[in-house]
Amino acid sequence: MGLFKNTTVSFDQLLAHMVYAQEVLGYTALDVAYWTLCLEVQFYRVFTASAVAVRAWPGSRP
C-alpha cells in the first residue's frame, strides 16, 4: 500500500480510512496519493450537514 508497504495496519486504521476520517482521527495516510479525496469527502459531508441544518432551522423557507 503506497509508501507504507512494511507497516502493519490495524482494524481501526483501516476502518478510519474506509470512511475517509483518518486525518480527523489522527492516523497517518496509507497512501499519500489520496489525500485530496479525503478532504473532498469531508467537505461534502460538512456541506450536506449544513444544508440539512439550514433547511431544518425554524422559519426557513420550504
Side-chain angles (χ1 to χ4, degrees), residues 13-61:
Q13 187 177 10
L14 181 64
L15 186 61
H17 277 77
M18 290 175 64
V19 296
Y20 299 102
Q22 65 268 20
E23 295 289 329
V24 174
L25 298 175
Y27 292 108
T28 58
L30 293 177
D31 192 340
V32 295
Y34 300 114
W35 70 272
T36 58
L37 182 60
C38 180
L39 291 177
E40 184 177 359
V41 169
Q42 291 172 4
F43 167 78
Y44 285 126
R45 286 180 182 161
V46 169
F47 180 80
T48 303
S50 299
V52 169
V54 166
R55 186 78 166 160
W57 193 265
S60 65
R61 296 181 179 179

